[in-house]
Amino acid sequence: MAMSWGQGELFPTANEAEIQRTKFLLGKYKAMTMLMQDFEKFEEELRQVAIDGEAARRI
């Protein structure tokens, strides 16, 4: 099976759009990891809040 993409050179150069996109994603990385850690740390509480909210909605 042939690959549908390839790298034509050993050290490819990135265009300006790729550089800006990479900088943007790297800038967001710390916030994304902190959000994931908070979610994992408080997942049980968030689940209970959803259950309590549904019970309150039914009242």
Side-chain angles (χ1 to χ4, degrees):
M1 178 177 196
M3 293 182 4
S4 61
W5 58 273
Q7 181 175 325
E9 54 191 276
L10 182 58
F11 300 106
T13 56
N15 62 31
E16 190 61 31
E18 292 171 331
I19 293 170
Q20 293 304 318
R21 178 74 177 153
T22 301
K23 285 181 180 179
F24 171 77
L25 292 174
L26 287 173
K28 295 288 184 181
Y29 176 77
K30 181 70 174 172
M32 289 187 287
T33 55
M34 288 174 58
L35 178 68
M36 293 294 291
Q37 289 171 354
D38 283 347
F39 177 79
E40 290 169 354
K41 187 161 61 169
F42 299 112
E43 186 174 4
E44 198 59 42
E45 291 177 28
L46 290 169
R47 185 176 291 121
Q48 189 60 43
V49 166
I51 292 169
D52 293 344
E54 181 64 21
R57 185 187 68 80
R58 291 182 182 185
I59 296 176

